[in-house]
Amino acid sequence: MTLILALSACGAGGTGTGGTGAGETKAIESLRVAAAFMPTSLDADSTNINDIYTNYQVAAQYMGTLVRVRPDEGSGESLTFARDLRPELAESVTPGADGHTFTLRQTTSAAGNPLTSEDVKWSFERMVANESVAMLLLSVANVDLKNPVTVKDEKTFTINTAGPSTLLLPILENAALGILDSVEAKKHATADDPWAREWLKTNVASYGPYTVGKFDPGNEVTLKGHSGYWSGTPKIKDVTVRNVPDAAGRAQLLQSGSVDLDMGVPPVEWKALEKNSEIKTVAMESPSALQIWINTAKAPMSDVQARRAVATAINKQDIANGLFPGVARAALECTAATVPVAGFENSIPATGDPEAAKSLAAGAGLDKPLQMIYNSATNVFSESAARFVQDQLKQAGIAVELQAFATQAEYQAAMDKREWDLNLGLQSLFINHPLYELKMFLTGESSLNIPAYGNKAFAELVDKALAADGAEAETLTRQACETAINEDVPLVGLMRSPYTIAVNKNVPGVRSYPYDRISIVDLG
């Protein structure tokens, strides 16, 4: 309810830039970006698994969503997810027992078509038909997939749910749930492709602050400011995002002045860029955490005492300090989300306790080496983190054998075999909310539930929390966290993984977002 009231109260607020410090007043109208990724499709709700993460980053710049994390004038340097979730295409939201009713702003697409409730209805029906990320999120938020949207009039509609929905507003911020210009998209639909999937792979029909000028799949995209955006043309009118996979190469381009923004800076490059007076480095509190998933379906880790022994032996603080000193921190929260769980306290010591771990390990079947797998190619921290964990467990008398995989395909195949005991990986959430991780990754029988955690009481608490509101939802979420993280220990959080960027100091409006992306419309 607090979030809903905030949405209504801020409906007429300006975009604001905020966070502009001394020396950051130079007006700029173009931005050159070096990124470690580039999608092969512009469809924000892509059915291609390889595009899901990269679309999440790039499409967030040009898709208009009903709400989004947006700064208000004077709201401070750092944004938080719940507090700073503001209306975008929605002007106001009214809660109801079976859904939320929205009123739309006056705005147009880049094609010049006004935003209407029919656009929202068509977009949501397309999400369901796509059977991709958006449909998954709608399902988690308890949205009626058979009848997701009821149109009231040209500017008013209801998103239908099967009762209260804690996650409805948070999921609507994701670019995969962006609203499309149905009038324009339908022009390019066919009998075989009624949702214009092929056309939307290389074209944009959105109500966001930018449209796409040129697109070279997998390599480069240019964005053009949209004058019909509800708050006006963005201050930065032209943006070029180029795929530069090599981190050292991105850093060199930034330092030479060839680019203005480096999206994704690992520790080695961070140290050098931090010393450069012409560059500003920003570490964002991201909904990502380095974790160890424990195979609860296989002995000896099916024994909670063995899982607790492993968790107790790990010094999370040393790992954070060793992997990204001064930037990363120990993962003590219930989940990777930056949204805190009220009243939750992690019962596992942050600095580890080898002697207590030895006592727990005695008689828990840990006399043989444990097998820990990880992907050495996709996560810059995994190799070093695996060595830290191996050494720390050794101090508690627990032997660990490491197995690295150089490709995602090989790693996935090893995960699916479930012959491992421990699995070190990065949990990165599309939806910055603890219930999203608890539901998606710790319940059910799909491969998303990597620990194969199957506590029925826990799953019931999560489902009740998802269908609750306010204080009741918070209480149920805390109880679920205490059941899983403190009592059953299906995973061990190691380190909060920040999203780190570096930008030319003359780019104004740079601030910390609670997501692993930056919002270009708020710069300039």
Side-chain angles (χ1 to χ4, degrees), residues 293 295 373 405 408-420 423 447 450:
W293 299 297
N295 191 348
I373 66 171
F405 295 91
Q408 179 61 33
E410 292 173 333
Y411 175 58
Q412 186 66 50
M415 284 201 293
D416 293 343
K417 286 183 180 179
R418 289 201 171 277
E419 295 173 352
W420 48 270
N423 185 345
S447 60
I450 298 175

Side-chain angles (χ1 to χ4, degrees), residues 438-520:
L438 297 179
K439 176 64 177 178
M440 291 297 299
F441 303 105
L442 286 177
T443 68
E445 297 181 359
S446 78
S447 60
L448 294 176
N449 184 356
I450 298 175
Y453 182 48
N455 186 317
K456 184 178 178 181
F458 165 80
E460 289 176 351
L461 282 169
V462 172
D463 285 341
K464 288 179 180 177
L466 285 167
D469 232 333
E472 182 185 5
E474 288 186 355
T475 298
L476 291 166
T477 303
R478 175 180 55 77
Q479 292 173 351
C481 285
E482 290 169 348
T483 299
I485 306 304
N486 286 350
E487 296 176 19
D488 292 342
V489 201
L491 61 83
V492 182
L494 301 180
M495 179 188 81
R496 299 292 313 195
S497 186
Y499 179 57
T500 49
I501 68 165
V503 61
N504 186 295
K505 72 173 185 178
N506 291 322
V507 178
V510 178
R511 61 195 300 147
S512 176
Y513 276 75
Y515 265 122
D516 48 353
R517 68 173 187 261
I518 187 169
S519 183
I520 294 174

Side-chain angles (χ1 to χ4, degrees), residues 48-382:
N48 180 355
I49 188 67
N50 294 321
D51 278 327
I52 288 175
Y53 178 71
T54 53
N55 274 23
Y56 168 79
Q57 299 251 2
V58 177
Q61 311 304 334
Y62 57 77
M63 289 301 295
T65 52
L66 294 172
V67 299
R68 76 174 180 92
V69 175
R70 179 170 59 85
D72 241 8
E73 292 289 353
S75 64
E77 176 64 23
S78 182
L79 299 175
T80 63
F81 182 77
R83 185 192 69 201
D84 292 300
L85 192 61
R86 311 284 188 212
E88 185 186 2
L89 300 182
E91 188 172 58
S92 64
V93 185
T94 303
D98 300 311
H100 287 10
T101 298
F102 295 74
T103 300
L104 293 170
R105 296 185 187 275
Q106 297 291 340
T107 190
T108 63
S109 71
N113 298 314
L115 173 65
T116 69
S117 298
E118 289 295 338
D119 292 310
V120 178
K121 181 177 176 64
W122 189 85
S123 297
F124 272 66
E125 289 173 349
R126 182 181 189 273
M127 296 171 200
V128 175
N130 266 358
E131 297 185 343
S132 189
V133 174
M135 189 191 77
L136 183 65
L137 299 181
L138 292 173
S139 178
V140 172
N142 210 19
V143 172
D144 182 356
L145 299 183
K146 294 182 179 180
N147 182 30
V149 173
T150 298
V151 173
K152 303 291 186 181
D153 57 41
E154 187 178 51
K155 291 292 183 182
T156 311
F157 63 91
T158 298
I159 297 179
N160 302 311
T161 60
S165 174
T166 302
L167 287 183
L168 179 56
L169 288 173
I171 70 166
L172 296 179
E173 195 269 349
N174 191 281
L177 284 88
I179 307 305
L180 294 167
D181 175 356
S182 62
V183 174
E184 182 63 22
K186 285 177 181 178
K187 293 178 182 177
H188 307 279
T190 65
D192 294 331
D193 185 14
W195 303 107
R197 289 190 178 107
E198 286 302 313
W199 184 76
L200 286 168
K201 286 181 180 179
T202 54
N203 295 274
V204 170
S206 76
Y207 292 92
Y210 289 95
T211 188
V212 172
K214 294 181 180 179
F215 179 49
D216 180 5
N219 296 310
E220 188 172 290
V221 62
T222 60
L223 306 175
K224 300 293 182 181
H226 169 38
S227 60
Y229 182 53
W230 67 267
S231 64
T233 308
K235 293 181 180 179
I236 295 180
K237 297 178 175 62
D238 297 289
V239 182
T240 300
V241 184
R242 182 159 47 118
N243 183 12
V244 184
D246 179 59
R250 294 195 304 276
Q252 185 176 12
L253 288 170
L254 180 63
Q255 293 190 91
S256 69
S258 299
V259 301
D260 308 297
L261 171 63
D262 178 354
M263 295 177 75
V265 183
V268 173
E269 285 71 27
W270 178 271
K271 292 179 181 178
L273 294 174
E274 195 175 29
K275 296 175 182 177
N276 191 321
S277 61
E278 298 300 311
I279 292 170
K280 179 178 180 179
T281 53
V282 181
M284 304 187 183
E285 184 74 3
S286 166
S288 299
L290 200 62
Q291 298 178 346
I292 294 176
W293 299 297
I294 303 177
N295 191 348
T296 66
K298 175 179 176 289
M301 304 316 294
S302 53
D303 183 347
V304 68
Q305 186 170 326
R307 300 197 295 272
R308 185 168 289 277
V310 167
T312 303
I314 294 174
N315 189 324
K316 304 176 182 183
Q317 195 61 57
D318 274 0
I319 290 176
N321 291 341
L323 295 180
F324 210 156
V327 178
R329 62 181 180 82
L332 306 179
E333 297 80 3
C334 169
T335 72
T338 68
V339 178
V341 175
F344 173 75
E345 293 185 10
N346 197 316
S347 65
I348 307 297
T351 54
D353 189 335
E355 294 305 314
K358 284 181 182 179
S359 298
L360 288 166
L366 297 178
D367 50 325
K368 295 180 180 179
L370 299 177
Q371 305 299 312
M372 184 164 77
I373 66 171
Y374 61 96
N375 188 336
S376 61
T378 60
N379 184 349
V380 296
F381 298 114
S382 59

